[in-house]
């Protein structure tokens, strides 16, 4: 219920974020195209069924993943077509992995696999301790995670505390900030400021 309520308020939050991308160069916003507005209209309807809500949110997730892939480095690659001609194209120059942050990240895994079929997906669970601080409860990262380009899946950024905990843990095992791209459907201005302005200036945040 909380996540749905945040989704409903997403457009209003987007308007406030428009000023934040001038403050943080590592903040990348999805363009508010006609298609994006149409998708928001579909899943924001009060009479949208559960299946409709999931379908249109999944479409938004796929668009978010596509936006993130545009930020990854490419290298030239030559292939031979069925007609015997040589085509000069591109391929990703680095191995890609995704990190699903629980709770919530699992909802984005299907959309990632729809776009990147052979992607390795790791998992990390973050819980709140008795004093309110975040701590890693469990993690299972893909092999060679420090050498991969990482898509960090966290659909809702409320305070940024959970993401800060995950980024700190990934940095601890040798992952470079420049290799991390965070994907979030919704991010509050407070969370954006906490992440983009809290020592993670080379981590890209796509919302």
């Amino acid at each position: 219920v909380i996540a749905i309520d945040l989704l409903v308020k997403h457009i209003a939050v987007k308007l406030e974020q428009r000023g934040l991308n001038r403050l943080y160069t590592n903040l990348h916003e999805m363009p508010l195209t006609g298609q994006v507005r149409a998708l928001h209209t579909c899943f924001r309807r009060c009479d949208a069924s559960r299946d409709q809500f999931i379908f249109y949110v999944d479409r938004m997730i796929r668009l978010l993943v596509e936006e993130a892939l545009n930020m990854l480095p490419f290298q030239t690659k030559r292939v031979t077509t069925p007609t015997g001609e040589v085509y000069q194209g591109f391929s990703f120059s680095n191995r890609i992995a995704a990190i699903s942050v629980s709770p919530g990240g699992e909802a984005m895994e299907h959309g990632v696999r729809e776009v990147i079929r052979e992607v390795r997906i790791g998992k990390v669970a973050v819980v709140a301790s008795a004093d309110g601080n975040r701590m890693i409860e469990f993690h299972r990262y893909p092999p060679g995670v420090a050498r991969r380009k990482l898509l960090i899946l966290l659909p809702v950024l409320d305070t940024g505390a959970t993401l800060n905990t995950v980024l700190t843990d990934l940095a601890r095992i040798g992952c470079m900030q420049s290799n991390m791209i965070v994907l979030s459907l919704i991010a509050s201005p407070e969370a954006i400021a906490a992440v983009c302005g809290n020592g993670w200036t080379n981590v890209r945040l796509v919302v």
Side-chain angles (χ1 to χ4, degrees), residues 84-140:
E85 297 180 355
V86 175
Y87 175 75
Q88 186 76 38
F90 291 93
S91 66
F92 291 111
S93 59
N94 294 87
R95 294 182 298 173
I96 303 171
I99 304 295
S100 175
V101 181
S102 179
E106 296 88 348
M108 303 180 73
E109 292 181 17
H110 176 72
V112 172
R113 292 194 187 279
E114 287 287 302
V115 178
I116 316 170
R117 300 188 66 178
E118 298 180 357
V119 66
R120 288 180 175 268
I121 298 181
K123 296 181 183 294
V124 57
V126 179
V127 295
S129 61
D131 58 4
N133 292 322
R134 301 299 195 275
M135 57 184 293
I136 302 291
E137 182 182 51
F138 162 84
H139 68 77
R140 186 178 72 245

Side-chain angles (χ1 to χ4, degrees), residues 28 30 64 67-68 71 181-185 204-207:
H28 300 268
M30 283 281 293
L64 200 67
E67 188 75 13
M71 301 177 184
I181 302 177
V182 180
L183 308 185
S184 183
L185 283 170
R204 286 163 287 184
L205 173 59
V206 183
V207 295

Side-chain angles (χ1 to χ4, degrees), residues 118-196:
E118 298 180 357
V119 66
R120 288 180 175 268
I121 298 181
K123 296 181 183 294
V124 57
V126 179
V127 295
S129 61
D131 58 4
N133 292 322
R134 301 299 195 275
M135 57 184 293
I136 302 291
E137 182 182 51
F138 162 84
H139 68 77
R140 186 178 72 245
Y141 297 133
V145 64
R147 300 187 300 274
R148 296 177 182 269
K149 293 290 185 181
L150 301 179
L151 304 180
I152 301 171
L153 313 178
L154 187 56
V156 177
L157 283 176
D158 47 5
T159 66
T162 294
L163 180 57
N164 268 315
T165 302
V166 173
L167 296 178
T168 300
D169 196 57
L170 289 171
R172 176 186 60 82
I173 61 175
C175 297
M176 297 175 58
Q177 287 193 34
S178 57
N179 284 340
M180 304 182 202
I181 302 177
V182 180
L183 308 185
S184 183
L185 283 170
I186 304 163
S188 70
E190 292 79 11
I192 292 172
V195 175
C196 296

Side-chain angles (χ1 to χ4, degrees), residues 44-61:
R44 291 178 68 196
R45 290 168 42 198
C46 64
D47 59 344
S49 67
R50 180 178 182 275
D51 288 343
Q52 289 173 328
F53 180 85
I54 292 173
F55 176 79
Y56 291 114
V57 169
D58 276 347
R59 282 193 60 189
M60 277 298 304
I61 290 171

Side-chain angles (χ1 to χ4, degrees), residues 10-11 14 18 29-41 59-60 63-64 67 207:
H10 185 43
I11 294 294
K14 277 285 188 181
R18 292 292 158 183
E29 297 176 289
M30 283 281 293
L32 282 178
T33 62
Q35 178 182 201
V36 169
R37 286 185 178 273
L39 291 175
H40 276 281
T41 302
R59 282 193 60 189
M60 277 298 304
L63 290 177
L64 200 67
E67 188 75 13
V207 295

